Amino acid sequence: MSQLLWPLVRFLLLIEVAASVNFFHHRYEQLVQALFNVHNECPDITRIYTIGRSIQGRHLYVLEFSDNPGIHEPLEPEFKYVGNMHGNEVLGRELLLQLSEFLCEEYRRRNERITRLIWDTRIHILPSMNPDGYEVAANQDPDTIGYLTGRNNANGIDLNRNFPDLNTFMYYNEKNGGPNHHIPLPANWKSQVEPETLAVIHWMSRYNFVLSANLHGGALVANYPYDKAQEQRSRGYQRKSNTPSPTPDDKLFRKLAKAYSYAHHSMHQSPTCGEQFADGITNGASWYSLSKGMQDFNYLYTNCFEITLELSCDKFPPQKDLEKEWLANREALITYLEEVHQGIKGLVSDENNNGIAGAVISVNGIGHDVTSDGTEWESDRLRRGQRSGSLGDQGDYFRLLLPGTYTITASADGYRPQTVTVTVGPAGPSLVHFQLKQDTIKGPMEKKAPATSLSSKALQKKVVPRAARKKTQR
């Protein structure tokens, strides 16, 4: 009975519309002001930081929500929303501003659901990855908006075709042997990406993101990896595929996409934007093949699972529609955020309870591993084309999984692997710690034992320090 009532309870917790950012299209200065207004209203649970600048010098501001802003707390997952990657696809930008205000106001009203989210999740919101492109799009006459005007950055580059192409390496490795996850970057990658892309890659490398969504416009569908088909058969800007290219986590990605589409007012009904999608979801390559996209890069380079949300048929909807679109997406934005709390998580330590950075967590039968949080700064590992962790020798890990029974192995250089069997339920993540014994033949240098034990209660919570007739193009 409680399972039947829970969706109603969740809806009732959000039924009262919070005082919100005014419903209008925010230019850059207005966007910045809106972010700082939220921070000033909720200073104890927010932090504003910049991950870099655009070609024209505009900051790529991120608003963070956490009960301890600025701190990664072991066992607390990191989540991100990214909007306005294409400057002319603007609804996501406005929705993320509304979401920011909503989280702040509902926290102040002691909304139980929102309070729990902020206490148990570190949320990062980047409303605009392409502020320069947005200004070009926003400068148009509303009656004569060009379908692609403002899509690219100030250098004329499509940022969702600008990430290092790791799919090529992955498909090669699948045929010839080699990893299909945590693939190193090519040596010359920095010379091939734009400043905005570079900033986001550094951002992904510094924070151990677990789940993410990239907000686009021009269709109404939740799109999941892989975006790039294994075989590219035509040379057009948009390569038609229709053949799915599933990841090892295909069932999980389908579940994540459905979480958004079914919580959305109408996405799951597949309303017409010129194309129909069963359940309001699609595999990216099945729709059309896209190379060098951001969601595939997340999955192949980091621990993060990302989907692409196409949120409206109109790329630049009229101002009068913004409130309606917010109400259509509000529950879905919260529901998807809650999806970060599933599967397993835990700490990987040595026999002295020191966290082990970069330990590999493997799931038998799923050919995609994740790693524990690391200690090296991004500049060191990015220089070598490798992923860095965030701050601290903490050794925490997060592995999203569907309910079921799994055989999990933790391994690290210099240590004996440890394997356990765990049953994952539907309610929340299972806590699975690993304590690895040093390999007696070749082991790492011993570290001084910390004062805190692995079983310490503090470590279990709160340790401070994508052109259709004009087909849509993701």
Side-chain angles (χ1 to χ4, degrees):
M1 185 65 165
S2 60
Q3 290 182 337
L4 296 175
L5 289 175
W6 176 235
L8 175 61
V9 172
R10 293 199 310 175
F11 174 75
L12 292 175
L13 287 171
L14 294 180
I15 195 66
E16 184 179 358
V17 179
S20 62
V21 176
N22 291 327
F23 291 100
F24 66 90
H25 289 290
H26 292 71
R27 302 297 288 260
Y28 175 72
E29 292 80 7
Q30 296 166 322
L31 177 147
V32 173
Q33 187 62 58
L35 293 177
F36 277 90
N37 286 346
V38 173
H39 174 61
N40 290 336
E41 288 295 315
C42 293
D44 295 335
I45 59 166
T46 61
R47 176 176 71 108
I48 295 177
Y49 65 96
T50 180
I51 62 172
R53 290 179 181 263
S54 66
I55 289 289
Q56 296 178 344
R58 296 181 175 92
H59 280 286
L60 305 180
Y61 280 116
V62 176
L63 179 62
E64 173 192 335
F65 283 87
S66 172
D67 57 339
N68 283 292
I71 297 170
H72 173 71
E73 303 173 72
L75 303 179
E76 186 169 286
E78 310 260 354
F79 176 98
K80 62 181 166 72
Y81 270 130
V82 179
N84 201 208
M85 183 183 200
H86 290 144
N88 64 328
E89 298 173 15
V90 306
L91 181 58
R93 172 187 178 112
E94 298 304 326
L95 292 177
L96 292 181
L97 292 178
Q98 293 292 337
L99 176 64
S100 299
E101 179 70 17
F102 181 78
L103 292 174
C104 172
E105 290 298 323
E106 292 303 293
Y107 183 86
R108 295 175 64 189
R109 296 178 183 200
R110 301 182 181 179
N111 180 312
E112 180 183 347
R113 182 182 180 192
I114 300 304
T115 299
R116 183 168 63 245
L117 259 182
I118 292 173
W119 282 359
D120 295 344
T121 324
R122 193 178 181 196
I123 305 164
H124 305 254
I125 297 174
L126 173 60
S128 182
M129 181 179 167
N130 186 4
D132 297 350
Y134 175 86
E135 295 301 315
V136 173
N139 281 332
Q140 299 176 92
D141 186 315
D143 297 325
T144 58
I145 290 179
Y147 190 74
L148 297 177
T149 303
R151 173 186 177 89
N152 299 335
N153 75 344
N155 281 343
I157 301 299
D158 185 332
L159 298 179
N160 207 29
R161 309 292 192 282
N162 190 233
F163 284 80
D165 181 9
L166 301 185
N167 298 72
T168 297
F169 294 102
M170 180 269 295
Y171 288 132
Y172 176 88
N173 290 344
E174 283 189 345
K175 291 182 178 180
N176 300 279
N180 67 349
H181 47 81
H182 296 91
I183 298 174
L185 300 179
N188 61 343
W189 73 275
K190 284 188 179 181
S191 65
Q192 299 177 4
V193 301
E194 293 298 294
E196 297 92 346
T197 309
L198 179 63
V200 169
I201 292 175
H202 278 288
W203 185 39
M204 294 177 185
S205 301
R206 186 164 184 179
Y207 296 89
N208 186 24
F209 293 115
V210 178
L211 184 62
S212 174
N214 179 17
L215 281 56
H216 285 244
L220 196 59
V221 64
N223 172 92
Y224 56 91
Y226 290 120
D227 268 336
K228 185 176 181 178
Q230 188 161 0
E231 295 183 10
Q232 304 283 347
R233 298 184 178 181
S234 63
R235 301 181 61 82
Y237 182 79
Q238 198 168 309
R239 299 175 171 89
K240 193 69 180 176
S241 175
N242 293 323
T243 300
S245 185
T247 70
D249 287 286
D250 186 62
K251 291 181 180 179
L252 174 60
F253 270 118
R254 291 174 63 85
K255 189 253 189 183
L256 292 171
K258 284 183 180 180
Y260 196 95
S261 70
Y262 274 85
H264 185 275
H265 178 263
S266 58
M267 185 182 288
H268 61 285
Q269 299 168 344
S270 193
T272 181
C273 282
E275 296 174 278
Q276 298 292 313
F277 303 97
D279 295 315
I281 69 171
T282 186
N283 172 264
S286 179
W287 187 8
Y288 64 86
S289 184
L290 181 162
S291 184
K292 301 183 180 181
M294 186 163 71
Q295 73 174 9
D296 286 7
F297 182 85
N298 270 270
Y299 186 68
L300 295 173
Y301 182 59
T302 77
N303 289 324
C304 188
F305 289 53
E306 180 172 281
I307 68 172
T308 300
L309 298 171
E310 300 282 352
L311 298 176
S312 64
C313 301
D314 194 339
K315 289 175 177 283
F316 206 125
Q319 186 166 297
K320 65 181 177 60
D321 290 346
L322 293 180
E323 183 172 11
K324 175 189 70 175
E325 294 290 359
W326 162 242
L327 295 176
N329 283 275
R330 183 181 63 190
E331 171 61 28
L333 288 164
I334 299 298
T335 295
Y336 184 76
L337 210 165
E338 291 171 328
E339 290 292 303
V340 75
H341 296 287
Q342 63 178 302
I344 61 173
K345 65 180 181 179
L347 299 167
V348 184
S349 69
D350 62 18
E351 294 174 280
N352 293 320
N353 296 320
N354 297 292
I356 299 177
V360 177
I361 310 300
S362 304
V363 183
N364 187 37
I366 303 178
H368 185 84
D369 301 341
V370 300
T371 59
S372 61
D373 205 3
T375 60
E376 297 179 90
W377 288 95
E378 62 184 84
S379 57
D380 296 328
R381 297 196 69 181
L382 283 172
R383 192 178 299 119
R384 302 198 303 270
Q386 299 175 358
R387 214 194 137 263
S388 77
S390 55
L391 302 176
D393 197 3
Q394 297 167 340
D396 60 338
Y397 76 91
F398 305 83
R399 207 330 175 167
L400 300 180
L401 292 168
L402 294 172
T405 300
Y406 300 91
T407 300
I408 316 291
T409 299
S411 59
D413 289 342
Y415 296 90
R416 300 174 186 172
Q418 181 183 355
T419 300
V420 301
T421 299
V422 59
T423 297
V424 176
S430 298
L431 196 61
V432 184
H433 296 311
F434 293 92
Q435 193 162 38
L436 304 186
K437 295 183 179 181
Q438 185 174 322
D439 192 311
T440 56
I441 299 176
K442 182 180 179 181
M445 292 178 61
E446 276 198 14
K447 299 178 184 178
K448 184 177 179 181
T452 308
S453 167
L454 175 66
S455 60
S456 166
K457 181 178 180 180
L459 279 179
Q460 297 190 31
K461 179 72 180 114
K462 308 306 175 199
V463 178
V464 176
R466 173 226 334 184
R469 297 201 270 307
K470 281 176 174 178
K471 219 168 186 64
T472 301
Q473 298 175 358
R474 289 169 277 158

